[in-house]
Every structure is written in structure tokens, then in C-alpha cells.
Amino acid sequence: MTAAALTGFFTGFSLILAIGAQNAFILRQGLLRLHVLPLVLFCAVSDAVLIAAGVAGFSALTTAMPALPLVMSLGGAAFLVVYGALRLRAAWAGGHVMGRGAEAQSLGAALAMAAAFTWLNPHVYLDTLGLIGAVSTGFAPGSERLAFGGGAVLASFVFFFSLGYGARLLAPLMRSARAWRILDLIIGVVMLAIAGKLVAGVALG
């Protein structure tokens, strides 16, 4: 079971490690030290639910609902375009300094953003329901497969907590408005690039 758990951990960690919209959002919130605990918990628990579904074999959902990938791709792309445009506007306007305006976003609004980044991202379904679900079939049903899923879930918790709270180590670099403009520019470009990739995938599909 140890081998299954380790395989699950490293599989899950490798899939989530890539820079994406959700990770960029958590990084920014971690730098602001705003609602970090509920946000990282939300993202990790959401991943856990999806991983459990993938390991349990619910990847057949996309087969039963063939229009789901298209709907998720278009909805996710629209959301990312809006959020990316907001970050680019913030980069252009400048004026943000660490600690300023941290009270502006409520917990509910932050969780709603996290939910959109998580559940409107079709890639998360590919990674969890698809890839992790597929890899899990290499282990015997029962304790081995549960160990694999547990390892993948643990990877999500380790990653999101490290990202959310580890972002504070970058705080000394984010004291200036210029640093925030650069960060917002990078995040905005990443968001628009991901949105473009989603739309391109729909067009090619």
C-alpha cells in the first residue's frame, strides 16, 4: 500500500504543480494574507472530491454527458478573460501596495472566485476524473486503490497549504507598487493564455 500511496502522491503533485489560474489566485491571496485558510481548504477539499470521484470510476460522467466538456471550456474561458482583464487593468493602473485594500474582498467573494477557478476549469476534470482515475486502475480495488487516492488527496493538501502560506516568504519583495504591477501583469497574461488555449481546444475539437 505504501507504493500505491507514494504513486498517488507524486502523480497528484506533478499534475497540480503546473502554473494555472487557480494556483495564481491562491498565490496572490497568500501574498495579501487574505482568507488564506478557507481558500486553501476549499481548493484542497474540492480536489479531494474530484480525485475520489475519479478513483471511484465516475470518469464515465463525461461519456454520459458529452456536452459537458464544451460547456465547461466556454464557461471557464469567459471567466478567465474577465479576471485576466481585471488583473491587466490593475497592472496598468498600479497603486497597489502590500496591505492596502486587503479588506476590500469579503470571504464569500473570495470563495466564489476560488469556486469558479476550480469548478469551471475543464483541465481539473481531465487531471482528476481522467488521468488520476486512469492511473488508479493499475491498482487492485480495495485498500491499494484507496491508498493511491489518499496519496493524491494528500498531495493536494500539501501543495495548496504550501502555496498559500509559503507565499508569505515573498512578502518582502512585494512591498512596492511596481512589484504588484508586475505580478498582476503576469497573472493577467497567464489567465488570457489559458482562456485562449481553452477556446482553441473547442475550435479544434
Side-chain angles (χ1 to χ4, degrees), residues 13 16-17 22-44 98 155-171 174 180 183:
F13 204 87
I16 201 173
L17 190 60
Q22 184 189 52
N23 296 349
F25 176 68
I26 295 299
L27 174 64
R28 193 172 192 279
Q29 294 297 119
L31 285 168
L32 290 171
R33 302 187 183 187
L34 186 61
H35 310 308
V36 177
L37 179 59
L39 286 172
V40 296
L41 273 175
F42 177 87
C43 291
M98 179 72 77
S156 289
F157 275 84
V158 169
F159 177 82
F160 283 115
F161 273 82
S162 299
L163 182 63
Y165 287 100
R168 298 181 180 187
L169 298 176
L170 298 176
M174 303 302 295
W180 276 98
L183 178 65

Side-chain angles (χ1 to χ4, degrees), residues 4-201:
L6 288 174
T7 301
F9 181 88
F10 288 112
T11 299
F13 204 87
S14 63
L15 290 174
I16 201 173
L17 190 60
I19 296 175
Q22 184 189 52
N23 296 349
F25 176 68
I26 295 299
L27 174 64
R28 193 172 192 279
Q29 294 297 119
L31 285 168
L32 290 171
R33 302 187 183 187
L34 186 61
H35 310 308
V36 177
L37 179 59
L39 286 172
V40 296
L41 273 175
F42 177 87
C43 291
V45 170
S46 294
D47 257 18
V49 170
L50 289 165
I51 289 169
V55 172
F58 288 153
S59 57
L61 178 65
T62 55
T63 302
M65 301 176 63
L68 183 61
L70 173 62
V71 173
M72 298 304 298
S73 293
L74 293 179
F79 174 77
L80 290 174
V81 166
V82 172
Y83 188 80
L86 289 175
R87 296 273 55 84
L88 291 178
R89 187 178 69 176
W92 176 264
H96 188 101
V97 179
M98 179 72 77
R100 183 185 299 171
E103 302 83 8
Q105 189 180 44
S106 68
L107 174 59
L111 287 174
M113 295 287 286
F117 281 123
T118 302
W119 295 95
L120 286 179
N121 177 11
H123 293 294
V124 76
Y125 298 98
L126 174 62
D127 290 346
T128 54
L129 296 179
L131 295 177
I132 290 180
V135 176
S136 72
T137 61
F139 297 93
S143 58
E144 277 197 3
R145 196 168 295 180
L146 285 174
F148 172 84
V153 168
L154 178 61
S156 289
F157 275 84
V158 169
F159 177 82
F160 283 115
F161 273 82
S162 299
L163 182 63
Y165 287 100
R168 298 181 180 187
L169 298 176
L170 298 176
L173 301 175
M174 303 302 295
R175 297 292 179 186
S176 70
R178 182 173 181 271
W180 276 98
R181 293 181 77 169
I182 293 173
L183 178 65
D184 279 332
L185 175 62
I186 293 172
I187 292 176
V189 170
V190 168
M191 300 298 176
L192 294 181
I194 296 173
K197 187 175 180 180
L198 290 177
V199 173

